[in-house]
Amino acid sequence: MTTSHQPDTLRERKKLRTRQALVGTAVTLFSERGFESTPLDALLEQVEVSRRTFFRNFRSKEDVALTAVKQLWDVYLEVLDGIEKSGLLADVFLDAMLTTLERMDEDWYRCFPLTLRLIADSPALDGYTLRHCAEVQAEIARRLDGQSPLELRLLIEFFVASWRCTLDEWLPDCIPGELPALLRRSCSSMDSALSLSLTV
């Protein structure tokens, strides 16, 4: 679902097509019938694959449902590894996500909003997403080990919070071209948000 090159061998291309069919069908099926109320067998029947094939590609029903979220953060970590880390780290985090969004293709932009709505409607998926997010945050911190632990953790939390607020603003219209601008606005609003005070 991203703009990476296609596999070279026929076997790899077939495996990729099966994986893409599982992801696309899962998101559509779960959106129509509800995540909790749709058994895994219903997905396997629609795609016409065995349980063995499914579990060669995914660990669980939650795993396939959240593919778009996981792809986003996988690409983000790759971009973060390659990006020049000079200047403010907050700007590095923002630039890495903007670059990540540029790399996502039309299929991802179709699946991602559906995935966000699935998460909002499913406590199980919401909990799974929170665990995955914590793992990503820990991985970002590990890759920037030379920074002050407390400040780095706070900065990562602030960036993730800005991203979540951005997604709230993006829904329900989900126009792909608007996502980068909304993210810039959320991140630039952090300083003013931290200086808010109560008026009596």
Side-chain angles (χ1 to χ4, degrees):
M1 288 203 299
T2 64
T3 54
S4 58
H5 70 278
Q6 292 295 306
D8 295 327
T9 69
L10 179 62
R11 182 178 180 180
E12 289 172 340
R13 289 195 296 273
K14 184 177 179 181
K15 184 176 180 180
L16 177 62
R17 285 195 298 271
T18 299
R19 184 178 175 86
Q20 289 172 332
L22 282 166
V23 172
T25 305
V27 172
T28 301
L29 199 62
F30 296 157
S31 296
E32 292 172 352
R33 303 183 186 180
F35 177 76
E36 274 84 5
S37 57
T38 306
L40 179 59
D41 286 340
L43 170 61
L44 303 184
E45 184 178 336
Q46 280 225 354
V47 185
E48 297 183 334
V49 299
S50 65
R51 280 183 166 263
R52 182 177 178 184
T53 298
F54 177 84
F55 286 110
R56 277 203 300 260
N57 288 277
F58 300 99
R59 290 178 295 176
S60 64
K61 196 170 82 163
E62 289 83 2
D63 196 29
V64 67
L66 296 178
T67 297
V69 171
K70 293 189 170 190
Q71 285 180 325
L72 175 82
W73 289 109
D74 285 347
V75 174
Y76 181 83
L77 290 173
E78 289 176 11
V79 171
L80 191 62
D81 283 341
I83 203 168
E84 183 180 350
K85 296 176 184 65
S86 61
L88 294 175
L89 195 51
D91 291 338
V92 171
F93 287 165
L94 172 59
D95 290 343
M97 184 56 82
L98 293 173
T99 300
T100 298
L101 292 175
E102 289 175 359
R103 295 189 181 182
M104 310 315 284
D105 63 15
E106 289 182 9
D107 191 40
W108 182 85
Y109 274 104
R110 181 189 67 82
C111 285
F112 190 53
L114 295 174
T115 305
L116 295 178
R117 294 185 184 108
L118 279 177
I119 294 168
D121 293 338
S122 168
L125 282 180
D126 188 45
Y128 196 93
T129 305
L130 290 174
R131 287 194 300 276
H132 177 256
C133 186
E135 291 169 1
V136 170
Q137 290 178 247
E139 185 59 28
I140 294 172
R142 188 190 68 77
R143 293 175 188 218
L144 298 168
D145 193 33
Q147 306 295 321
S148 172
L150 177 59
E151 284 83 353
L152 177 59
R153 182 179 173 188
L154 285 169
L155 183 58
I156 294 170
E157 291 282 356
F158 284 146
F159 177 73
V160 171
S162 296
W163 173 245
R164 287 176 177 157
C165 288
T166 299
L167 295 180
D168 288 342
E169 291 287 317
W170 193 49
L171 291 167
D173 295 333
C174 301
I175 300 171
E178 291 184 356
L179 193 49
L182 289 171
L183 178 60
R184 286 190 184 97
R185 189 176 74 184
S186 293
C187 290
S188 66
S189 299
M190 185 58 69
D191 285 342
S192 58
L194 290 173
S195 64
L196 283 176
S197 59
L198 292 172
T199 55
V200 180

